[in-house]
């Protein structure tokens, strides 16, 4: 079996563009991958095409070999665009390999250690104007089946300022405490600070919410060093989560080896695909650090993230969004991961566990390209 063709599609969806790659083989088996990276899709498509040229005509099932070859000979840097391109190819190769051997990808990786992947919900808070409004939205999300919720107590991503005033910290602490009191102890809560605090303010915030029993506090401060994160972790009782913007196991290595955080958050697309994400997860397991994958992606990367969560013994919880299943996605996804209550079922479908209607995807896409070996 040989790789013969690459097709790429750019599908507009809300504030993102799903970037989907399809690899074709001479045996008729196709694999799908995703490289959604907000609006930077032209450079990512160029990277996917360059990577395909390097492996065209070869056996697609030697995934590890192709990943290493592409990393060393094509994608020299650990930048966002190059890793996203590598991720799309990597996912598609795994998808082909699973289909070729008649197995779900998680079986090729040693088998699933769970049949359900627990999720937390993001974006349920959209448009909230006060703590009281936030609590009502949280109660509504719980009524819809969510059992774990994340939000941004220092403002939503589109409202961020690059300096947080000192008086905002007590206000944010009060907000977290109010939500915990309103929802009770059985609902999992976590907050994303989005790197908006300095070290002292982060320590003050984490100390202030210590009795709220959060699953994690995400990115409390800008990354400076593993030592700085380690000091913050040691100074608080909150579990620090970090890593959604890291691009490789080498970037994760220092915070893992120095046990500077309680959770790592690799993103399937940002780290270069399933191949690298698994290695990051296994490295974290060595130091008893959990994995909570970053997952603000489209349907194919979600399927890959569910596969990752299924095979890691140190998996904790997976990010999900209110719009993980928007109507536009249903137009081209025939079958794939859907949230049931507060979890994704682990699929026994062949490959990554997703099937798309490529003809409909082509009709819906704003940009399509084809490259033949």
């Amino acid at each position: 079996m040989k790789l013969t063709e690459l097709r790429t599609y750019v599908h507009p969806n809300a504030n993102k563009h799903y970037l989907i790659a399809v690899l074709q083989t001479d045996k008729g088996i196709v694999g799908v991958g995703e490289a959604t990276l907000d609006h930077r899709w032209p450079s990512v498509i160029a990277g996917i095409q360059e990577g395909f040229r390097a492996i065209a005509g070869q056996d697609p099932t030697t995934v590890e070999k192709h990943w290493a070859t592409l990393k060393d000979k094509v994608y020299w840097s650990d930048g966002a665009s190059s890793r996203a391109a590598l991720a799309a190819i990597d996912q598609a190769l795994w998808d082909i390999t699973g289909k070729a051997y008649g197995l779900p990808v998680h079986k090729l990786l040693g088998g699933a250690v769970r049949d359900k992947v627990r999720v937390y919900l993001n974006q349920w808070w959209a448009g909230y104007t006060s703590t009281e409004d936030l609590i009502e939205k949280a109660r509504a999300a719980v009524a819809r089946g969510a059992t774990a919720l994340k939000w941004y107590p220092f403002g939503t991503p589109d409202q961020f300022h690059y300096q947080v005033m000192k008086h905002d910290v007590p206000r944010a602490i009060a907000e977290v405490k109010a939500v915990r009191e309103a929802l009770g102890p059985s609902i999992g809560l976590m907050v994303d600070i989005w790197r908006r605090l300095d070290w002292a303010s982060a320590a003050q915030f984490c100390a202030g919410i210590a009795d709220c029993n959060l699953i994690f506090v995400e990115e409390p401060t800008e990354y400076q060093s593993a030592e700085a994160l380690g000091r913050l972790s040691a100074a608080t009782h909150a579990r620090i989560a970090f890593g959604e913007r890291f691009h490789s196991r080498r970037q994760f290595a220092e915070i893992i080896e120095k046990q500077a955080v309680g959770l790592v958050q690799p993103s399937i697309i940002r780290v270069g695909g399933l191949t690298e994400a698994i290695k990051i997860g296994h490295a974290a397991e060595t130091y008893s650090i959990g994995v909570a994958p970053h997952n603000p992606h489209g349907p194919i990367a979600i399927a890959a993230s569910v596969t990752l969560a299924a095979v890691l013994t140190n998996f904790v919880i997976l990010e999900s969004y209110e719009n993980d299943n928007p109507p536009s996605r249903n137009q081209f996804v025939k079958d794939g991961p859907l949230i049931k209550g507060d979890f994704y079922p682990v699929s026994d479908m062949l490959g990554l566990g997703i099937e798309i209607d490529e003809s409909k995807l082509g009709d819906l896409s704003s940009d399509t390209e084809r490259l033949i070996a």
Side-chain angles (χ1 to χ4, degrees):
M1 183 165 57
K2 298 178 181 180
L3 290 166
T4 58
E5 187 175 335
L6 164 69
R7 298 182 291 275
T8 57
Y9 302 90
V10 179
H11 178 275
N13 178 65
N15 64 338
K16 291 183 181 289
H17 287 73
Y18 292 151
L19 174 47
I20 294 171
V22 178
L23 291 182
Q24 177 81 43
T25 70
D26 60 347
K27 300 299 184 183
I29 299 176
V30 300
V32 293
E34 183 181 337
T36 302
L37 200 65
D38 301 326
H39 299 288
R40 286 169 282 181
W41 53 265
S43 62
V44 182
I45 287 178
I48 295 171
Q49 291 175 338
E50 186 179 7
F52 172 74
R53 291 187 186 99
I55 62 174
Q58 299 183 41
D59 177 1
T61 66
T62 56
V63 184
E64 187 72 39
K65 173 188 173 183
H66 292 320
W67 197 98
T69 298
L70 292 172
K71 172 61 176 67
D72 289 342
K73 295 184 177 180
V74 178
Y75 308 117
W76 291 1
S77 72
D78 287 339
S81 293
S82 60
R83 281 295 168 129
L86 179 54
I89 293 174
D90 181 75
Q91 292 165 72
L93 293 176
W94 277 115
D95 195 33
I96 290 171
T97 302
K99 292 171 181 175
Y101 287 97
L103 291 170
V105 170
H106 60 76
K107 293 288 188 182
L108 300 175
L109 298 172
V113 297
R114 55 185 58 83
D115 57 12
K116 296 179 180 178
V117 169
R118 190 188 181 198
V119 300
Y120 69 83
L121 193 62
N122 199 342
Q123 220 168 46
W124 56 272
W125 41 261
Y128 85 91
T129 56
S130 65
T131 299
E132 293 73 21
D133 185 26
L134 180 69
I135 289 171
E136 288 308 306
K137 289 180 180 296
R139 285 173 170 155
V142 170
R144 294 192 296 273
T147 61
L149 304 171
K150 185 179 85 172
W151 82 101
Y152 302 79
F154 291 96
T156 56
D158 59 342
Q159 300 171 331
F160 282 132
H161 302 289
Y162 283 87
Q163 182 179 9
V164 176
M165 302 302 292
K166 187 174 179 59
H167 67 269
D168 283 338
V169 177
R171 180 206 56 76
I173 291 171
E175 181 176 281
V176 174
K177 289 186 173 183
V179 174
R180 169 53 78 202
E181 182 177 358
L183 297 186
S186 63
I187 299 299
L189 296 179
M190 57 223 84
V191 293
D192 191 344
I193 311 304
W194 233 62
R195 311 171 309 284
R196 290 300 176 251
L197 299 179
D198 58 35
W199 192 95
S201 297
Q204 179 189 2
F205 174 79
C206 290
I209 53 85
D211 61 350
C212 293
N213 193 30
L214 300 188
I215 295 176
F216 61 74
V217 175
E218 181 173 344
E219 291 192 322
T221 187
E222 188 68 68
Y223 183 73
Q224 300 295 331
S225 66
E227 286 79 6
L229 276 180
R231 289 196 301 272
L232 179 59
S233 292
T236 74
H237 294 291
R239 179 195 278 169
I240 305 301
F242 211 88
E244 69 174 43
R245 291 179 178 239
F246 285 177
H247 296 124
S248 70
R249 80 194 85 138
R250 290 174 179 83
Q251 290 181 314
F252 278 95
E254 189 178 22
I255 64 171
I256 290 173
E257 290 171 357
K258 295 185 177 180
Q259 296 174 284
V261 297
L263 291 172
V264 292
Q265 297 177 292
S267 163
I268 284 285
I269 290 176
R270 290 186 183 271
V271 302
L274 191 57
T275 297
E276 184 82 337
I278 290 168
K279 292 173 182 176
I280 292 165
H282 288 166
E285 181 187 11
T286 303
Y287 293 87
S288 299
I289 294 172
V291 179
H294 180 57
N295 184 41
H297 307 311
I300 297 168
I302 289 174
S305 296
V306 170
T307 298
L308 173 68
V311 301
L312 293 179
T313 58
N314 55 332
F315 164 77
V316 175
I317 198 166
L318 179 66
E319 185 171 21
S320 68
Y321 279 71
E322 285 277 40
N323 63 348
D324 268 0
N325 187 33
S328 61
R329 192 188 90 161
N330 290 341
Q331 293 175 317
F332 70 91
V333 176
K334 292 182 178 179
D335 196 3
L338 294 174
I339 295 173
K340 293 187 176 180
D342 67 344
F343 66 89
Y344 281 112
V346 175
S347 174
D348 283 328
M349 289 175 61
L350 305 187
L352 286 177
I354 186 165
E355 182 182 3
I356 68 168
D357 186 327
E358 193 177 345
S359 63
K360 289 186 178 179
L361 178 61
D363 292 340
L364 294 165
S365 295
S366 61
D367 185 282
T368 63
E369 297 193 34
R370 183 183 182 193
L371 193 62
I372 300 175

